[in-house]
C-alpha cells in the first residue's frame, strides 16, 4: 500500500502567509502540516509516498527532500493545472502502479489513526473506504449517504442532507479509482471532483465503505482554522506542558501552558500562553500574548494591551507606543511587515 498527499493548492484564503510558502508547510504546534500527514502514514507502515505539487512549489522538496529524515521514501508528482482532486489523482497513476493507496489532502490535520480506515477497507472486498465525521452543519460539506457498511451516495453541500456524515479528506482506494477519474466530466466550477469519481464507482456497482471518527480534524484553509488547529494540536501533543528550544532566553516571564517556543528565542517581561507557538529566533518583550502563532524571527515589543488570536509572519515586527488602549487586539501580520507605533502611532488590528 502506498500514500498520496495532495499539496498543489494555491492557499489563497491563507494569504498573506501563503505568499512565501505553501499552506501545507505552515506550522501547527511548530511543525508543518504536511509532516503530520507523513507521520500518520508511517505510523501505519506506509513508507512509499507520493506528494503532488505545483512546479513552483520548490520549498516542499527543499524541506521534505526524499523523505529519509522522516523514515519514508518520497516521490514528487507535478500538477501543472489545478483542476481539482480527481485531476491531481490522475497525475499519480504511474506512481501508484496498480497498488491500493491512502489519499490525504496536505492541508488537513486528522487526529484519527489511519489504521481504522485500512481496517474498514480490508474487512470485505471493497474498492474504497472514506473517513467520515458527524458535523452540525452538513449543508457546508460533502455528505455521505450510508446503508449498512456501504456508502450509497455522495452529495456536495446538499440543501437537504441525507445524513450528517461529512467527508473530511482521508480516502483509501484500489486502482479502480483511475478508471473513475478518467470517466467523469468537470463540475460546474470547472474541476474534476473526487466526489464525482467516487459516485461513478458506486453507480457502477462497486463497493465503497467507510469509518466514522469523532476525533478532531481541521482543514487548515483559513487563518481562523489555522489558529484553531494550533490550539487543539498543542492540547493533544502537550497537554499543559511548556517546551523551550535550545539557547532560548526567558527572563522575568510567566508561561501558561501549553506553550511551544523554538530555538534561539528571547522572552523578557512577558506573559505568554496558553496556546502560543513561537518558531526559532522570535523576540517578545514587555507584552502579553495568548492563542497565537509567531513564525521565524517575529518581534513583538512594548505593548500595554494583551494580544490574542493573532498570527505574525516571518520577520514581522510590532513595536508598541507604551500608551496603547488596554483592550484585546488581533493581528494578522504577513512576512516582514513592520509596524512601529512609537513612530507611526498606527493601529493595524483586525
Amino acid at each position: 500500500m502506498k500514500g498520496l498527499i495532495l499539496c498543489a493548492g494555491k492557499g489563497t484564503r491563507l494569504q498573506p502567509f501563503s505568499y512565501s510558502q505553501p499552506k501545507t508547510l505552515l506550522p501547527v504546534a511548530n511543525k508543518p502540516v504536511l509532516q503530520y500527514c507523513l507521520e500518520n502514514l508511517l505510523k501505519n507502515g506506509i513508507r512509499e509516498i507520493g506528494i503532488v505539487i505545483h512546479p513552483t512549489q520548490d520549498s516542499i522538496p527543499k524541506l521534505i527532500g526524499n523523505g529519509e529524515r522522516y523514515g519514508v521514501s518520497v516521490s514528487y508528482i507535478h500538477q501543472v493545472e489545478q483542476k481539482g482532486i480527481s485531476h491531481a489523482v490522475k497525475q499519480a497513476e504511474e506512481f501508484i502502479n496498480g497498488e491500493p493507496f491512502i489519499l490525504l489532502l496536505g492541508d488537513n490535520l486528522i487526529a484519527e489513526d489511519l489504521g481504522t480506515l485500512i481496517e474498514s477497507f480490508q474487512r470485505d472486498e471493497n474498492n474504497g473506504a472514506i473517513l467520515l465525521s458527524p458535523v452540525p452543519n452538513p449543508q457546508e460539506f460533502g455528505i455521505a449517504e450510508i446503508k449498512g457498511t456501504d456508502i450509497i451516495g455522495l452529495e456536495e453541500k446538499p440543501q437537504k442532507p441525507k445524513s450528517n456524515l461529512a467527508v473530511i479528506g482521508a480516502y483509501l482506494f484500489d486502482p479502480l479509482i483511475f478508471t473513475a477519474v478518467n470517466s467523469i466530466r468537470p463540475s460546474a466550477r470547472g474541476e474534476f471532483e473526487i466526489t464525482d469519481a467516487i459516485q461513478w464507482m458506486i453507480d457502477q456497482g462497486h463497493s465503497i465503505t467507510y469509518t466514522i471518527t469523532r476525533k478532531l480534524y481541521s482543514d487548515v484553509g483559513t487563518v481562523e482554522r489555522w489558529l484553531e488547529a494550533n490550539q487543539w494540536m498543542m492540547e493533544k501533543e502537550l497537554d499543559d506542558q511548556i517546551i523551550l528550544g535550545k539557547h532560548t532566553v526567558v527572563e522575568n516571564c510567566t508561561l501558561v501552558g501549553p506553550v511551544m517556543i523554538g530555538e534561539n528565542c528571547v522572552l523578557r517581561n512577558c506573559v505568554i500562553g496558553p496556546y502560543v507557538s513561537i518558531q526559532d529566533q522570535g523576540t517578545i518583550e514587555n507584552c502579553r500574548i495568548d492563542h497565537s502563532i509567531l513564525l521565524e524571527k517575529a518581534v513583538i515589543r512594548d505593548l500595554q494591551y494583551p494580544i490574542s488570536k493573532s498570527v505574525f509572519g516571518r520577520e514581522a515586527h510590532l513595536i508598541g507606543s507604551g500608551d496603547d488602549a488596554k483592550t484585546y487586539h488581533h493581528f494578522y501580520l504577513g512576512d516582514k511587515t513592520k509596524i512601529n507605533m512609537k513612530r507611526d502611532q498606527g493601529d493595524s488590528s483586525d
Side-chain angles (χ1 to χ4, degrees):
M1 188 175 293
K2 293 182 178 180
L4 185 65
I5 307 173
L6 307 187
C7 296
K10 296 178 180 178
T12 53
R13 292 177 297 168
L14 273 165
Q15 294 171 355
F17 306 103
S18 57
Y19 283 139
S20 59
Q21 59 184 325
K23 61 180 178 178
T24 56
L25 296 187
L26 293 173
V28 171
N30 278 2
K31 189 161 64 177
V33 177
L34 176 56
Q35 186 174 335
Y36 290 101
C37 296
L38 293 172
E39 290 173 352
N40 209 345
L41 291 167
L42 178 61
K43 188 190 305 182
N44 288 281
I46 298 171
R47 290 180 167 80
E48 196 170 350
I49 299 169
I51 300 179
V52 178
I53 63 173
H54 189 271
T56 60
Q57 293 175 321
D58 57 351
S59 55
I60 294 178
K62 284 179 181 177
L63 177 68
I64 303 299
N66 63 6
E68 184 176 359
R69 61 183 289 197
Y70 303 101
V72 298
S73 173
V74 169
S75 300
Y76 294 97
I77 301 151
H78 284 172
Q79 184 187 17
V80 177
E81 297 179 280
Q82 294 153 322
K83 293 185 176 181
I85 295 176
S86 282
H87 181 262
V89 170
K90 281 186 186 184
Q91 317 310 309
E93 185 169 7
E94 183 177 349
F95 166 76
I96 295 300
N97 194 28
E99 295 189 39
F101 66 98
I102 289 180
L103 172 66
L104 299 177
L105 309 185
D107 59 352
N108 277 18
L109 283 174
I110 297 173
E112 183 68 54
D113 190 309
L114 295 174
T116 60
L117 193 65
I118 296 171
E119 289 172 9
S120 64
F121 175 77
Q122 294 176 337
R123 187 170 51 232
D124 298 302
E125 293 185 6
N126 296 298
N127 299 104
I130 304 175
L131 188 63
L132 305 176
S133 178
V135 294
N137 50 340
Q139 294 85 354
E140 299 178 14
F141 291 83
I143 295 298
E145 181 184 0
I146 62 173
K147 184 177 181 181
T149 60
D150 289 334
I151 294 176
I152 60 173
L154 291 174
E155 192 173 2
E156 195 68 34
K157 298 181 180 178
Q159 290 186 352
K160 296 182 179 180
K162 295 179 180 177
S163 81
N164 68 338
L165 297 174
V167 179
I168 61 171
Y171 315 81
L172 202 165
F173 296 116
D174 73 6
L176 182 66
I177 189 64
F178 294 106
T179 303
V181 298
N182 283 296
S183 300
I184 61 173
R185 301 173 65 85
S187 65
R189 62 176 182 165
E191 295 193 357
F192 293 89
E193 311 287 357
I194 194 65
T195 50
D196 289 346
I198 297 167
Q199 188 64 55
W200 182 93
M201 294 169 74
I202 294 170
D203 292 343
Q204 299 299 312
H206 303 291
S207 177
I208 305 294
T209 189
Y210 63 91
T211 188
I212 296 174
T213 181
R214 287 176 171 80
K215 296 183 179 180
L216 292 169
Y217 65 92
S218 292
D219 161 16
V220 187
T222 66
V223 177
E224 292 82 2
R225 292 208 292 266
W226 183 16
L227 286 165
E228 289 171 4
N230 196 62
Q231 176 171 329
W232 70 255
M233 186 59 74
M234 290 184 75
E235 195 168 72
K236 176 178 179 289
E237 297 288 318
L238 302 183
D239 193 13
D240 60 355
Q241 292 184 70
I242 295 165
I243 305 296
L244 299 179
K246 295 178 181 178
H247 311 300
T248 283
V249 175
V250 179
E251 297 179 356
N252 192 32
C253 293
T254 299
L255 305 182
V256 182
V259 168
M260 181 171 284
I261 301 170
E263 299 182 356
N264 298 297
C265 295
V266 175
L267 283 69
R268 293 190 176 98
N269 306 315
C270 297
V271 178
I272 307 294
Y275 306 110
V276 174
S277 60
I278 304 171
Q279 291 200 292
D280 296 347
Q281 302 181 60
T283 300
I284 305 180
E285 298 179 343
N286 304 312
C287 65
R288 290 171 287 166
I289 184 168
D290 62 69
H291 296 81
S292 296
I293 298 170
L294 283 73
L295 304 190
E296 296 96 329
K297 300 182 181 180
V299 175
I300 307 174
R301 288 196 180 105
D302 304 328
L303 299 175
Q304 295 302 307
Y305 53 77
I307 294 175
S308 185
K309 297 181 181 178
S310 297
V311 179
F312 295 84
R314 295 170 172 173
E315 299 183 51
H317 284 60
L318 177 62
I319 311 301
S321 66
D323 57 359
D324 311 293
K326 294 183 179 180
T327 56
Y328 272 85
H329 281 62
H330 310 291
F331 290 86
Y332 299 158
L333 266 61
D335 291 357
K336 300 186 178 180
T337 300
K338 291 181 168 53
I339 298 177
N340 190 332
M341 294 180 181
K342 292 179 180 178
R343 182 183 68 239
D344 302 330
Q345 294 299 306
D347 186 351
S348 292
S349 60
D350 284 323

